[in-house]
Amino acid sequence: MRLQFLLASLVLPLSSGFVTPNNGMTKTSKPTTTTTSLSVKRMPIMMPTQEPMVPYRAPGSSYDQFIGLQSRQLRDRKLWIARYIDEEASNSIISSLLYLQSESDKEDIKLY
């Protein structure tokens, strides 16, 4: 009997309209009727990343695809440095410069 009471107190919610434990005995409460109006608030459609997306057509392709703005600028050999240069930023800048140089060492790389 005590085990049933413990199980009932763990499983059954203590709200109106359900069986609630009371000193080893159970009783039913009167359900309350409340009317609530449902208001649906739609969340704005967000991009999956924090970076703005821009259309880009790869050379020889017949369709556009969306890529990040920084990736698009990097494909145009433009490198933006818009933050304090610490160890992480310097690694990113150096790796971008090495990549752009390996792609074509004859074209200019623009730093902003």
Side-chain angles (χ1 to χ4, degrees):
M1 179 67 126
R2 186 160 175 85
L3 180 62
Q4 289 177 347
F5 172 73
L6 290 174
L7 289 175
S9 66
L10 292 175
V11 175
L12 297 175
L14 298 174
S15 62
S16 62
F18 293 100
V19 177
T20 58
N22 185 10
N23 293 334
M25 306 176 98
T26 58
K27 66 176 186 175
T28 59
S29 302
K30 292 182 182 178
T32 58
T33 56
T34 58
T35 57
T36 59
S37 62
L38 296 175
S39 62
V40 178
K41 184 176 180 182
R42 184 173 182 183
M43 297 298 293
I45 298 172
M46 303 292 287
M47 289 186 180
T49 62
Q50 298 296 326
E51 185 179 9
M53 305 295 272
V54 293
Y56 173 72
R57 180 174 293 180
S61 178
S62 61
Y63 61 92
D64 290 345
Q65 61 185 2
F66 282 92
I67 62 172
L69 183 62
Q70 291 177 346
S71 298
R72 177 69 174 106
Q73 294 288 325
L74 195 60
R75 290 180 191 217
D76 288 338
R77 303 182 67 82
K78 296 177 184 175
L79 187 60
W80 293 83
I81 303 172
R83 59 182 171 172
Y84 180 76
I85 299 177
D86 56 356
E87 185 177 349
E88 182 181 337
S90 63
N91 286 335
S92 175
I93 293 166
I94 291 171
S95 64
S96 297
L97 288 172
L98 289 173
Y99 172 75
L100 291 174
Q101 183 185 11
S102 71
E103 288 289 313
S104 173
D105 58 351
K106 304 230 187 289
E107 294 182 38
D108 290 339
I109 300 172
K110 299 169 188 80
L111 290 174
Y112 296 101

